[in-house]
Amino acid sequence: MPGPSQAPPNPPPPQSQRRASGNQPKPKRLKTHTVTSKNYSIPMVPRDKRGKPMLPLNVGIMTVISLGEVCMREHFHTERYIFPVGYEVTRRYMSTIEPNSEVVYHCTILDGGDGPKFQIVPNDVPDKPVIAGTATGAWSTIVKQANAIRNRQHSNSVSGPDFFGLGQNTIKHLIQQLPNAEKLRDYVWQHFVEGGPLGGRHAAVIPALPEEYDSSTPIGAFYPSERDKLQKERAEERAASGEPPKSHYPPHIMAQGAARPGQRLQQPQQQQQPQPPPQQTPQQTAEQMQHFANVTFDDLLRFATGSGALVNTQQS
């Protein structure tokens, strides 16, 4: 028996219809890196009696000097990061002038008016800060120079916010605790639990040691002016020519000091030296001992009551 008749397949659409459908815009895909709120466990943060974190604070390789202040203006935060004005941290990285050494880099977020400015001051060249409109732009300059003097062919790509410590969970938690952080419009809030179970690797959080205070001193904005540059150039020229450093004292005072070196220091020393007591001759010492040997008890009693002087009654 012949099988049941099958329906003919649908004919393809006309070419004009296919062309029209091809011009239709494709539906917009959602971003794959959309930030969502998550829960994180972090180490306990050392705090003072008022509950404030004890700064400077070592968080892994970062040393937090100041958390800064939350700025409510546009461009001072994204959905992932907050850029507090006055935020300062230090960290170590390869030097840009010495191939075989690492130095401390001082990272600061400044108020650039229409947005944040990211400043990096290397310890070995503090008069040449790197300032850019993004954290990645500032750190890319450092990484590029460090790779160039080492002839490294590595990529110069870098995550600027991570190099500033802004992506570290403990630091992000402390920034979220700043006043007005909860009012930011685009930032996606994250939830942190201090002292919760820590899985895998985590950054140690301890107060900075006293020997680290020198590199943890806040320096704020560093904009070398033309006057500072000119003064430095003149000082270098005087040092090269052997010219003595310029003093704020008048010329005649400087001339007096040169003519009498050390005189001002010797005078106080002479005044402070105690005068030795006058030495007595053996005859005076013998007469004094003989005088007190002949003092009677009545003489001592009159001297104690103030009714008489201590004299030798036998001689008087």
Side-chain angles (χ1 to χ4, degrees):
M1 289 181 63
S5 60
Q6 297 180 356
N10 294 329
Q15 186 176 0
S16 60
Q17 185 177 353
R18 292 199 306 268
R19 188 181 301 112
S21 62
N23 293 335
Q24 294 180 358
K26 297 181 180 179
K28 189 175 182 180
R29 293 185 300 177
L30 297 177
K31 295 181 180 180
T32 58
H33 60 277
T34 301
V35 181
T36 58
S37 295
K38 295 182 180 180
N39 298 325
Y40 300 94
S41 295
I42 60 174
M44 293 295 297
V45 177
R47 301 178 183 272
D48 57 18
K49 296 181 180 179
R50 299 177 299 174
K52 301 294 184 181
M54 299 175 62
L55 303 179
L57 184 68
N58 287 337
V59 182
I61 63 173
M62 314 294 297
T63 300
V64 182
I65 301 172
S66 173
L67 294 170
E69 298 179 355
V70 172
C71 182
M72 302 300 297
R73 301 199 303 272
E74 193 178 4
H75 306 307
F76 282 86
H77 73 278
T78 64
E79 60 182 5
R80 191 182 299 271
Y81 304 111
I82 301 175
F83 308 124
V85 175
Y87 170 86
E88 296 189 35
V89 296
T90 59
R91 60 159 298 159
R92 298 188 67 86
Y93 190 69
M94 296 181 296
S95 172
T96 58
I97 61 175
E98 178 55 48
N100 299 321
S101 66
E102 288 187 353
V103 297
V104 175
Y105 288 83
H106 201 115
C107 309
T108 311
I109 299 180
L110 310 175
D111 188 349
D114 56 349
K117 294 294 184 183
F118 297 86
Q119 172 186 276
I120 305 175
V121 180
N123 243 17
D124 51 352
V125 279
D127 57 337
K128 296 181 179 180
V130 177
I131 303 175
T134 64
T136 300
W139 265 110
S140 295
T141 302
I142 300 293
V143 173
K144 184 177 181 180
Q145 295 176 1
N147 288 335
I149 66 170
R150 292 167 176 82
N151 296 321
R152 301 175 64 182
Q153 302 301 324
H154 295 261
S155 173
N156 296 323
S157 61
V158 61
S159 172
D162 288 343
F163 270 57
F164 262 77
L166 299 172
Q168 212 285 332
N169 283 339
T170 301
I171 297 179
K172 186 176 291 188
H173 169 56
L174 297 178
I175 292 177
Q176 283 189 174
Q177 292 184 332
L178 293 175
N180 299 323
E182 72 282 358
K183 301 178 183 179
L184 297 176
R185 182 186 61 183
D186 299 328
Y187 178 73
V188 179
W189 200 262
Q190 304 298 321
H191 304 280
F192 300 96
V193 178
E194 290 189 28
L198 301 173
R201 299 175 59 185
H202 61 277
V205 180
I206 55 177
L209 299 176
E211 56 265 25
E212 298 173 306
Y213 288 170
D214 290 340
S215 60
S216 302
T217 305
I219 62 176
F222 187 94
Y223 291 109
S225 62
E226 294 298 329
R227 179 182 178 184
D228 295 336
K229 295 179 180 178
L230 184 60
Q231 290 180 349
K232 182 180 178 181
E233 292 176 357
R234 290 179 177 175
E236 293 177 351
E237 292 176 357
R238 287 196 297 267
S241 62
E243 179 182 352
K246 186 177 180 181
S247 174
H248 62 275
Y249 288 106
H252 67 281
I253 298 296
M254 295 292 294
Q256 293 177 5
R260 295 177 294 178
Q263 182 175 0
R264 184 182 300 179
L265 297 177
Q266 294 176 0
Q267 292 178 355
Q269 295 177 359
Q270 294 176 358
Q271 295 176 0
Q272 294 177 0
Q273 293 178 355
Q275 296 294 334
Q279 297 182 355
Q280 295 182 345
T281 62
Q283 183 179 0
Q284 293 175 341
T285 304
E287 293 177 354
Q288 187 176 10
M289 294 178 64
Q290 182 66 26
H291 172 79
F292 286 105
N294 297 327
V295 175
T296 63
F297 177 77
D298 294 337
D299 296 332
L300 292 175
L301 183 62
R302 288 196 302 271
F303 177 76
T305 56
S307 58
L310 188 60
V311 296
N312 190 341
T313 55
Q314 295 180 0
Q315 295 181 357
S316 60

